[in-house]
Amino acid sequence: YFGYVRELMEEWFSHVPDESQADLRGALRADDRQSESAFWELYLHEAYLRSGYTVEIHPEIPGQRTHPDFRMVRDDQVFYLEAVSVGQIPAEIAEDRRLDGVHQILANLQIENFALEVSTYRVGPRPLSTRRLRGALRQWLTGLDPQQVALAAESATAVGFDRLPEMPWFDDGWSLIFHALPLREEARGKQRSALGMMGPGKATVVDNVSGIRRVLNSKHDKYGRLDALLVVAVLSNTQYPTRDYEIEQALFG
């Protein structure tokens, strides 16, 4: 799958002038936030080329040390284009990486008769110590009857896991709930990856407005008075959930 993605990006990259490739290549290979911004620039460059525009990268602006990302020209149309990306704040990125580490450990854990669903209510400030968790999960699953869990799953509501066995886990600021998911009878008795499903334990409110307003305010007068329109193209990938743990308190006290 990703071979096709790589080939397409390499094709787009080949359309970038040689003198601009080194900086773009380095940004595409950098961390997630910088790579996302670089991809957005590459995408816009390719999109406007295919739309018949002549694309000038980082054009000179008289009296300014800074340069917009692009100057676009097609027939009598001329405008500057600035590509900006609004993503997660560093604290959220760090949380996601700690949670990804837990998911990877569960994916590597081999169990029989069940798969695990993990609902995340709170991510702790440090990586989760998983040795004790893995032992507790194995012991808990050993005490479950696969046939009884399968029958419980058949009577569950559309909401999902209300009739399935669950195991809460709290450690160093982490709050997780695990559910045992039944397997078909022919799939039981075989070692398989423990991780079956994962997701947030509750809905959150996502604020897309604050980040977009912030980047727009930072760009509107950055280049002074221009001889053509400045267009700011915003790629929004924001995930700033409202931190509200009322549901967690109701569940766990």
Side-chain angles (χ1 to χ4, degrees):
Y1 171 84
F2 285 105
Y4 293 108
V5 176
R6 182 173 57 252
E7 290 174 7
L8 182 62
M9 290 183 63
E10 288 176 347
E11 178 189 348
W12 294 358
F13 186 81
S14 70
H15 301 158
V16 175
D18 292 345
E19 61 272 17
S20 299
Q21 287 188 357
D23 288 344
L24 183 59
R25 182 186 294 110
L28 286 168
R29 292 174 172 174
D31 61 32
D32 291 346
R33 294 187 71 183
Q34 192 173 353
S35 178
E36 185 177 78
S37 297
F39 172 80
W40 184 226
E41 292 183 22
L42 179 63
Y43 176 89
L44 291 170
H45 180 271
E46 182 69 16
Y48 279 94
L49 279 180
R50 294 191 181 203
S51 298
Y53 284 85
T54 298
V55 180
E56 181 183 355
I57 299 176
H58 297 150
E60 294 284 344
I61 305 296
Q64 295 288 335
R65 294 183 178 180
T66 54
H67 311 281
D69 292 321
F70 305 109
R71 183 174 183 266
M72 306 296 190
V73 180
R74 186 178 69 179
D75 301 327
D76 59 347
Q77 299 178 8
V78 180
F79 64 93
Y80 296 96
L81 182 68
E82 186 79 351
V84 293
S85 173
V86 184
Q88 292 177 276
I89 59 176
E92 293 291 335
I93 294 173
E95 273 196 5
D96 284 350
R97 287 176 176 169
R98 292 195 294 276
L99 184 57
D100 286 344
V102 174
H103 291 159
Q104 187 59 56
I105 289 169
L106 293 173
N108 293 337
L109 179 65
Q110 298 292 301
I111 61 175
E112 295 181 2
N113 301 327
F114 302 98
L116 292 175
E117 185 277 336
V118 55
S119 296
T120 303
Y121 288 86
R122 179 176 287 177
V123 176
R126 287 168 290 276
L128 179 64
S129 176
T130 58
R131 176 180 293 182
R132 190 163 58 90
L133 171 61
R134 284 177 288 178
L137 285 170
R138 290 184 184 279
Q139 183 177 2
W140 171 57
L141 293 172
T142 300
L144 299 178
D145 184 330
Q147 188 61 33
Q148 291 298 318
V149 174
L151 292 173
E154 292 177 2
S155 63
T157 68
V159 175
F161 309 119
D162 57 323
R163 299 290 181 87
L164 294 178
E166 67 178 36
M167 187 189 88
W169 189 259
F170 319 106
D171 182 29
D172 193 24
W174 288 78
S175 295
L176 307 171
I177 288 185
F178 294 90
H179 291 94
L181 304 177
L183 300 179
R184 295 188 305 272
E185 190 169 353
E186 61 269 23
R188 298 172 194 166
K190 304 172 185 177
Q191 291 285 314
R192 55 163 291 150
S193 172
L195 186 60
M197 298 175 62
M198 69 272 194
K202 61 185 179 66
T204 57
V205 178
V206 176
D207 175 16
N208 287 305
V209 175
S210 299
I212 294 175
R213 181 182 288 121
R214 172 174 49 80
V215 296
L216 291 176
N217 288 338
S218 71
K219 297 294 183 180
H220 78 278
D221 60 354
K222 182 177 180 179
Y223 304 109
R225 189 174 183 83
L226 297 171
D227 60 349
L229 184 71
L230 173 66
V231 176
V232 181
V234 182
L235 173 65
S236 177
N237 185 21
T238 52
Q239 299 179 42
Y240 303 134
T242 302
R243 294 303 190 186
D244 183 348
Y245 293 109
E246 291 182 0
I247 296 179
E248 179 187 350
Q249 292 299 318
L251 288 172
F252 306 135

